[in-house]
Amino acid sequence: MSQRVLTTESGAPVADNQNSATAGVGGPLLLQDQHLLEKLARFNRERIPERVVHARGSGAYGYFEVTDDVTGFTKAAFLSEVGKRTETFIRFSTVADSLGGADAVRDPRGFALKFYTEEGNYDLVGNNTPVFFIKDPIKFPDFIHSQKRDPFTGRQEPDNVWDFWAHSPESTHQITWLFGDRGIPASYRHMHGFGSHTYQWTNEAGEAFFVKYHFKTNQGIRSLSAEQAAELVGKDANSHQTDLLQAIERGVNPSWTLYVQVMPAAEAADYRFNPFDLTKVWPHADYPLQRVGRLVLDRNPDNVFAEVEQAAFSPNNFVPGIGPSPDKMLQGRLFAYADAHRYRLGVNHTLLPVNAPKATTAQNYGRDGFMATRNGSRHDKNYEPNSYQGPAQTDAALSAPLAIHGWTGTHEAPAHVKDDDFFQAGELYRLMSEDEKARLVANIAGGLSQVSREDVIEKNIAHFAAADPEYGRRVAEAVAALRD
């Protein structure tokens, strides 16, 4: 094979890539050295703004295969027949830390999945927990500010973390998940994934159902204690990335089985919990898991920056048969995720290979902007409607319409029979074994005992006591012991 020629960005051959041009031997550099200036300027711009949340991530390609008939619930083409396979890309992530953070930390994990379907890309953006800390997106920036590095100290502050939670009792359920035994997954392969939000499915007859997604790991659940995690971080801060990469390279392809909970739309109004509250689950006794298919990861990205860092997921990327619900947090994310990518990657980020449709072609009238590569020819119009056979609407709604009523304004979510902030957290606590309860209490006390204000500690303990009196008492005793 002949040696390839090194060139500049414009394609001109490079004569010397070892020495900069100077004014004489040992003299100052010359502004006319185009190759030097191009290399330095290009290097200065190698990093794009990292994600504010979910900055640290890993990804892989794979496929989703339908194993069970769900056509009675949705008309989505990629779910239309048993045995059908759809190419996918997944991005796992931690939430709070920066791009250079460690993998084995106590933090929720992002579980973002892109289906390259024949009807366009469908993005399912979830976590490794079925619930979240808040139920209204107006609180999201404040929540993240409380969890990220303090503007003055430059580090995550227990005072900020627990002060926000003290004033947000709806966080009690997710805190109980996060500080329990599954709070630090041993790897991305050994954790479940959840859509977390409630979504809507619509079948061919136009019937609507509300659904929740559950991806159950086929590798089995494996988690780390705080001590094991600290040791692992010291040995390999990239432990989850290392594990995922090496497993797939060895041909040990991780997989998950997808189940859904299905609620007929008519049952939502009278359900005992608000079915659109992200801090709540639907008990399986009410809506059992129904199997849909399996997700298999079988190929690593060739370039982490191009395919993981530039991967853009947005929950408003729906396909016919799938749509949103009145879930407030989901509604906020329908805007926020896409807007974050327009800021980070530019308005044309959907043209990047990892984000572009693979089983169909995007056809619309979007033009121009930074890095525009698909602006059409002289024969293509950039407006609609037109008389030139340009892309036209289908008049077929992606999902069933949602009924609305009442007055505009800032409203709290409607209360259902069991809609308090503590009931499900208490149910989760009472499901735990004695050993699990002890570890949960120790994990919470380890963080809460570092808070400087007694009133913040007391407010948080009151939340745990409201979930279960024993829960609150044990946390209070553990915190007191650590502060003596």
Side-chain angles (χ1 to χ4, degrees), residues 4 50 62 100 118 139 159 177 238-239 262 285 292 331 337 368 383 403 415 426 436:
R4 291 182 297 166
E50 70 175 45
E118 66 265 49
K139 299 181 71 170
D159 276 4
W177 273 91
N238 305 304
S239 57
V262 181
V292 180
Q331 293 282 323
Y337 275 62
D368 305 334
Y383 59 87
E436 289 174 321

Side-chain angles (χ1 to χ4, degrees), residues 423-439:
F423 178 81
Q424 289 199 351
E427 291 282 273
L428 178 58
Y429 175 79
R430 289 183 287 274
L431 282 173
M432 296 179 179
S433 68
E434 178 53 37
D435 286 347
E436 289 174 321
K437 289 178 181 177
R439 289 189 291 268

Side-chain angles (χ1 to χ4, degrees), residues 265-402:
E267 297 180 11
D270 297 323
Y271 186 48
R272 56 188 173 133
F273 306 109
N274 180 352
F276 312 117
D277 181 347
L278 187 55
T279 68
K280 304 287 193 301
V281 298
W282 302 353
H284 294 177
D286 296 345
Y287 295 99
L289 296 178
Q290 301 188 47
R291 194 176 65 176
V292 180
R294 67 185 184 118
L295 170 69
V296 179
L297 305 183
D298 59 5
R299 179 165 66 90
N300 283 311
D302 290 324
N303 185 287
V304 172
F305 176 80
E307 299 166 88
V308 180
E309 185 63 15
Q310 291 194 135
F313 299 85
S314 178
N316 64 7
N317 288 338
F318 292 115
V319 292
I322 304 177
S325 78
D327 180 335
K328 277 190 171 185
M329 283 296 295
L330 173 60
Q331 293 282 323
R333 284 173 166 156
L334 297 180
F335 164 77
Y337 275 62
D339 192 57
H341 301 310
R342 284 189 286 266
Y343 163 68
R344 293 183 59 248
L345 303 169
V347 72
N348 287 302
H349 67 272
T350 55
L351 306 183
L352 296 170
V354 71
N355 299 322
K358 296 183 184 296
T360 186
T361 301
Q363 301 185 78
N364 54 54
Y365 297 92
R367 297 291 186 272
D368 305 334
F370 286 116
M371 304 298 288
T373 62
R374 191 193 66 208
N375 263 18
S377 72
R378 70 177 67 183
H379 307 294
D380 296 314
K381 301 303 178 183
N382 65 344
Y383 59 87
E384 197 279 334
N386 63 59
S387 303
Y388 295 86
Q389 303 303 307
Q393 65 195 45
T394 65
D395 292 323
L398 269 65
S399 56
L402 296 171

Side-chain angles (χ1 to χ4, degrees), residues 106-412:
R106 189 174 299 280
D107 198 19
R109 299 299 190 275
F111 194 99
L113 185 59
K114 189 182 296 289
F115 299 84
Y116 300 103
T117 90
E118 66 265 49
E119 297 177 298
N121 290 351
Y122 171 46
D123 289 353
L124 182 60
V125 183
N127 285 324
N128 71 326
T129 59
V131 294
F132 196 60
F133 297 94
I134 54 176
K135 63 181 73 174
D136 194 305
I138 204 166
K139 299 181 71 170
F140 189 75
D142 298 295
F143 165 62
I144 295 301
H145 286 168
S146 75
Q147 310 295 302
K148 300 285 279 188
R149 296 177 185 271
D150 182 86
F152 170 63
T153 66
R155 65 183 188 180
Q156 189 181 49
E157 291 292 347
D159 276 4
N160 300 351
V161 171
W162 289 96
D163 185 39
F164 181 88
W165 288 341
H167 292 87
S168 305
E170 69 269 30
S171 297
T172 308
H173 193 186
Q174 172 73 321
I175 292 169
T176 306
W177 273 91
L178 180 61
F179 286 87
D181 281 357
R182 297 186 181 183
I184 312 178
S187 78
Y188 289 131
R189 296 184 297 130
H190 295 92
M191 68 180 193
H192 293 331
F194 300 88
S196 301
H197 295 289
T198 300
Y199 294 90
Q200 186 205 72
W201 276 6
T202 308
N203 64 17
E204 287 286 0
E207 297 173 306
F209 304 86
F210 293 119
V211 301
K212 283 187 175 289
Y213 295 86
H214 301 251
F215 289 86
K216 300 290 189 180
T217 176
N218 294 325
Q219 291 69 240
I221 289 287
R222 283 183 53 206
S223 303
L224 303 173
S225 67
E227 295 75 19
Q228 290 171 324
E231 181 180 354
L232 182 58
V233 166
K235 292 179 178 178
D236 181 7
N238 305 304
S239 57
H240 289 31
Q241 164 71 12
T242 301
D243 176 85
L244 182 66
L245 174 74
Q246 293 182 350
I248 295 175
E249 287 297 293
R250 296 195 310 269
V252 180
N253 298 330
S255 67
W256 288 257
T257 300
L258 171 60
Y259 299 87
V260 292
Q261 290 177 283
V262 181
M263 174 189 292
E267 297 180 11
D270 297 323
Y271 186 48
R272 56 188 173 133
F273 306 109
N274 180 352
F276 312 117
D277 181 347
L278 187 55
T279 68
K280 304 287 193 301
V281 298
W282 302 353
H284 294 177
D286 296 345
Y287 295 99
L289 296 178
Q290 301 188 47
R291 194 176 65 176
V292 180
R294 67 185 184 118
L295 170 69
V296 179
L297 305 183
D298 59 5
R299 179 165 66 90
N300 283 311
D302 290 324
N303 185 287
V304 172
F305 176 80
E307 299 166 88
V308 180
E309 185 63 15
Q310 291 194 135
F313 299 85
S314 178
N316 64 7
N317 288 338
F318 292 115
V319 292
I322 304 177
S325 78
D327 180 335
K328 277 190 171 185
M329 283 296 295
L330 173 60
Q331 293 282 323
R333 284 173 166 156
L334 297 180
F335 164 77
Y337 275 62
D339 192 57
H341 301 310
R342 284 189 286 266
Y343 163 68
R344 293 183 59 248
L345 303 169
V347 72
N348 287 302
H349 67 272
T350 55
L351 306 183
L352 296 170
V354 71
N355 299 322
K358 296 183 184 296
T360 186
T361 301
Q363 301 185 78
N364 54 54
Y365 297 92
R367 297 291 186 272
D368 305 334
F370 286 116
M371 304 298 288
T373 62
R374 191 193 66 208
N375 263 18
S377 72
R378 70 177 67 183
H379 307 294
D380 296 314
K381 301 303 178 183
N382 65 344
Y383 59 87
E384 197 279 334
N386 63 59
S387 303
Y388 295 86
Q389 303 303 307
Q393 65 195 45
T394 65
D395 292 323
L398 269 65
S399 56
L402 296 171
I404 59 172
H405 59 86
W407 300 93
T408 60
T410 54
H411 305 291
E412 291 186 9

Side-chain angles (χ1 to χ4, degrees), residues 453-476:
R453 290 180 48 173
E454 291 292 339
D455 61 319
V456 172
I457 294 175
E458 291 170 0
K459 284 180 180 177
N460 279 285
I461 289 174
H463 294 166
F464 301 128
D468 186 280
E470 177 194 280
Y471 189 6
R473 175 182 57 78
R474 293 179 66 168
V475 171

